[in-house]
Amino acid sequence: MLKEQKLPTKWTVRNAAAALFVAAAIVPGTGTSAKNLDNNGHHNGNGIQHVLLISIDGMHALDFINCAQGISGVNGGAPYCPNLAALAATGIDYLDTSTSKPSDSFPGLMALVTGGSPHSVGAFYDVAYDRSLDPPATTTGNGVAGAPDLCSPSTPPTGTTTEFDEGIDINKLALNGGAPAGVDGGIASIDPNKLERDPAHGCAPIYPWNFVRTNTIFGVVHGAGGYTAWSDKHPSYSSVSGPGNGTNIDDYYSPEINSIPVALPTVPGCNPPPDQTAVAASNAWTDSFQNIKCYDSLKVMAIVNEINGLTHDGKKPAPTPNLFGMNFQVVSVGQKLIEKSVSTTGGYLDGHGTPTAALLGEIEFADAAIGKMANAIKARGLAESTLIIISAKLGQSPIDSSRYLGIATIPNDPVTTSPATILQTLLPFSESPANPNGIGPTEDDISLIWLADSGKTGNAVSMLESQSPATGNIAGIGEIFAGPAVGQLFNLPGLPPQGDPRTPDIIVTPNIGVTYSGSSKKLAEHGGFSHDDTNVMMLLSNPNFQQQTVTSPVETAQIAPTILAALGLDPGALQSVQQEGTQVLPGFQPSQNNSQD
């Protein structure tokens, strides 16, 4: 096994604030590249013609170690992810990989495809805040209040909660997000009236791909003539297209994960959904260990169709994408869910990462699905020309499920409130827990606080420290970041050109296991900065690779420039790579694969 010497993952490039979050927002999304792609192959000397990027959301590096090597008491001690283990036999396995901070799906996804953090990309959370924008024209599906008269062109912005999840769907309860008949999901599912608006540009709605400030690997590959595809859990995650008109992804598929579970005639065993205890109007696919497998099967089928030279729905011929992929939700659900209707609990049995039977089934499902993709690639004769990358947008905390602690969820629970609740009189109403109809504050196992008046940051910190002191820590506070401490991680908060309109004034990370949720359906969460939140698996595999294990610290953001290098394109075409100095992954050499199809 090769142990790589530690290489720097980033160097700090502190551009002027305006250059980071104003100018970058209007740069076209395609960038430039050293070479053009050719869907017929032979476009570079590396032999890599295709990259399949897979995010197994929640999959820790420890989960991969356990499932690939086997763990006592599980599956008779035998490996329970044989397909992943087979890919690792000709792969580079990174043990100390960190996802984005915050470790939410939105910044986690953007790290994978831009090579950047919220510092350059501006994506902090699915639900966050922007001081430079105004509310949408109509109220979103999750309660961000909107009205036509809440934005006036060329007037100072009021600020607004930003939402890039199911709330911007035409109909969040429909699998296709409410898209027109015959359309199975994608950007046609987005209701522009539910998008935040920019008063500096005529109150135009901000589409997901233009909310992000820097370009993506999909923009670079598409701009170089390559064919691209991606499948994810919300229409809003079309943000992966990057700035432009939303067309940098040639084939985008996004069945809505928070829709009501329905029969899936094309998925064996899912017509009707297998778990009939979780198909009510109040349910989503994530409410069931069984139904979530049906949901993820839709995206697996899309990938196999694309490998086989079809569009995601299998209805039309298309090039096998130069860049494509999907996310799995099964493992995340397996780690978090308490499904009372069937008396089944997910998560882990101990701090060593021994999975419960429910989580084990989800890991085995993801592994088998990846095996189907790998076999389809081999059957098409594309194995040597395809780089498979498997990682995760996020981890999940805590691995030791017994340490999970919500707000007043157990007898004598010491955590009785959250930072946002303590500070609710200082928050914009859309962010306040006191708002009975709103989406509420951005709190999972982290609390991101945007104040109505940033000048009161010192007062707010004093309130947190006095109302939740170490001797009576009713909010489970672990660490408070404010002022210069926030500036270590992100651009300082404020309005341009002095500050970043999206940066929180205060970030609170709680003690391990503490989650700001009163939910009795969960025993893990993500979003925070802890090791369990951020340490995820990362594997690069190709039949011509020698097996390697890299122990030096790396980041999921390094996947983006590595993908471009593998395809013979310039990693420096990514604006976040330029601004943050993100490096190609250590141990990976594009020239190590010299075969040609």
Side-chain angles (χ1 to χ4, degrees):
M1 302 295 232
L2 174 65
K3 178 178 179 180
E4 294 295 325
Q5 296 298 314
K6 182 176 180 180
L7 297 178
T9 57
K10 290 187 177 180
W11 65 82
T12 302
V13 180
R14 290 280 184 171
N15 293 333
L20 279 175
F21 49 81
V22 178
I26 60 174
V27 176
T30 56
T32 58
S33 59
K35 302 178 182 181
N36 287 330
L37 294 172
D38 178 354
N39 282 317
N40 294 318
H42 313 300
H43 58 284
N44 62 54
N46 302 329
I48 298 295
Q49 314 289 332
H50 314 278
V51 177
L52 173 60
L53 173 61
I54 298 169
S55 171
I56 309 176
D57 292 8
M59 190 81 170
H60 303 103
L62 180 60
D63 292 318
F64 180 43
I65 292 170
N66 286 340
C67 75
Q69 297 180 358
I71 187 171
S72 178
V74 179
N75 196 37
Y80 47 95
C81 57
N83 294 291
L84 287 172
L87 291 173
T90 55
I92 310 171
D93 182 16
Y94 297 86
L95 299 184
D96 191 4
T97 301
S98 177
T99 187
S100 66
K101 295 180 181 179
S103 58
D104 178 55
S105 298
F106 192 17
L109 174 60
M110 298 319 298
L112 292 172
V113 302
T114 67
S117 71
H119 180 84
S120 62
V121 182
F124 279 88
Y125 230 81
D126 279 357
V127 177
Y129 196 83
D130 191 318
R131 301 173 185 87
S132 68
L133 299 179
D134 283 337
T138 61
T139 298
T140 71
N142 287 332
V144 175
D149 61 355
L150 294 179
C151 183
S152 298
S154 302
T155 61
T158 60
T160 181
T161 294
T162 57
E163 183 178 5
F164 290 98
D165 55 16
E166 71 278 1
I168 67 169
D169 294 0
I170 295 171
N171 178 6
K172 69 176 186 176
L173 301 181
L175 183 65
N176 74 343
V183 179
D184 61 7
I187 64 175
S189 306
I190 295 172
D191 183 348
N193 291 313
K194 295 176 182 176
L195 298 174
E196 295 74 37
R197 293 174 291 172
D198 185 358
H201 292 86
C203 290
I206 307 299
Y207 283 88
W209 49 87
N210 285 325
F211 184 77
V212 298
R213 295 169 172 160
T214 59
N215 64 347
T216 74
I217 50 177
F218 292 96
V220 175
V221 172
H222 182 83
Y227 187 78
T228 61
W230 184 253
S231 298
D232 218 307
K233 64 182 182 177
H234 299 305
S236 62
Y237 282 11
S238 54
S239 56
V240 296
S241 183
N245 58 10
T247 60
N248 287 327
I249 302 178
D250 294 291
D251 188 356
Y252 181 65
Y253 179 46
S254 58
E256 177 53 65
I257 193 169
N258 286 327
S259 61
I260 301 170
V262 294
L264 304 177
T266 62
V267 181
C270 297
N271 185 22
D275 185 353
Q276 287 293 298
T277 71
V279 295
S282 59
N283 286 124
W285 296 96
T286 54
D287 290 336
S288 166
F289 294 107
Q290 293 301 315
N291 293 347
I292 192 61
K293 295 176 184 177
C294 293
Y295 170 83
D296 270 356
S297 293
L298 291 170
K299 293 179 289 184
V300 173
M301 293 170 61
I303 296 296
V304 173
N305 283 334
E306 289 160 356
I307 292 168
N308 289 330
L310 300 168
T311 53
H312 74 267
D313 55 9
K315 294 181 178 180
K316 297 178 182 178
T320 297
N322 300 106
L323 173 59
F324 63 132
M326 64 165 282
N327 84 303
F328 281 95
Q329 286 295 129
V330 285
V331 172
S332 177
V333 169
Q335 293 166 325
K336 295 170 64 171
L337 183 62
I338 300 172
E339 191 177 359
K340 294 181 179 180
S341 61
V342 293
S343 301
T344 303
T345 298
Y348 299 88
L349 299 175
D350 52 44
H352 303 296
T354 304
T356 59
L359 175 56
L360 173 63
E362 308 300 314
I363 293 174
E364 290 176 327
F365 172 88
D367 179 73
I370 290 171
K372 291 179 183 178
M373 298 179 204
N375 288 335
I377 288 169
K378 291 176 184 176
R380 286 274 288 172
L382 301 174
E384 291 193 351
S385 64
T386 300
L387 174 63
I388 298 176
I389 301 179
I390 303 169
S391 188
K393 299 174 186 173
L394 51 95
Q396 210 83 256
S397 181
I399 288 178
D400 186 350
S401 298
S402 66
R403 296 185 182 275
Y404 179 82
L405 195 61
I407 297 176
T409 54
I410 61 174
N412 301 314
D413 192 336
V415 179
T416 59
T417 191
S418 76
T421 302
I422 292 173
L423 300 177
Q424 63 183 8
T425 59
L426 300 180
L427 306 183
F429 191 60
S430 66
E431 292 288 299
S432 175
N435 180 352
N437 301 313
I439 197 170
T442 302
E443 293 186 315
D444 285 317
D445 64 344
I446 193 171
S447 178
L448 304 183
I449 303 293
W450 290 267
L451 300 173
D453 180 356
S454 295
K456 295 183 179 180
T457 298
N459 293 340
V461 171
S462 295
M463 289 175 64
L464 293 172
E465 292 174 336
S466 63
Q467 295 189 38
S468 189
T471 54
N473 197 356
I474 60 174
I477 294 172
E479 189 169 7
I480 299 173
F481 298 85
V486 169
Q488 286 183 282
L489 302 170
F490 311 114
N491 305 315
L492 287 170
L495 284 170
Q498 287 78 25
D500 189 327
R502 298 182 188 171
T503 303
D505 294 292
I506 301 170
I507 300 171
V508 178
T509 58
N511 292 326
I512 297 298
V514 172
T515 296
Y516 299 122
S517 168
S519 173
S520 60
K521 297 180 179 180
K522 296 180 181 180
L523 68 164
E525 206 32 283
H526 57 266
F529 291 1
S530 75
H531 182 269
D532 290 357
D533 275 305
T534 59
N535 181 235
V536 296
M537 75 165 291
M538 184 157 66
L539 176 68
L540 276 62
S541 182
N542 179 272
N544 291 319
F545 287 4
Q546 291 185 346
Q547 187 174 16
Q548 300 179 44
T549 299
V550 176
T551 59
S552 59
V554 295
E555 300 178 359
T556 56
Q558 293 177 258
I559 288 174
T562 302
I563 286 174
L564 295 188
L567 290 171
L569 300 174
D570 179 11
L574 290 170
Q575 293 150 2
S576 284
V577 166
Q578 298 172 24
Q579 294 177 20
E580 301 194 40
T582 315
Q583 300 286 290
V584 170
L585 285 163
F588 174 79
Q589 299 293 332
S591 60
Q592 66 193 101
N593 184 323
N594 293 312
S595 65
Q596 289 283 347
D597 275 9

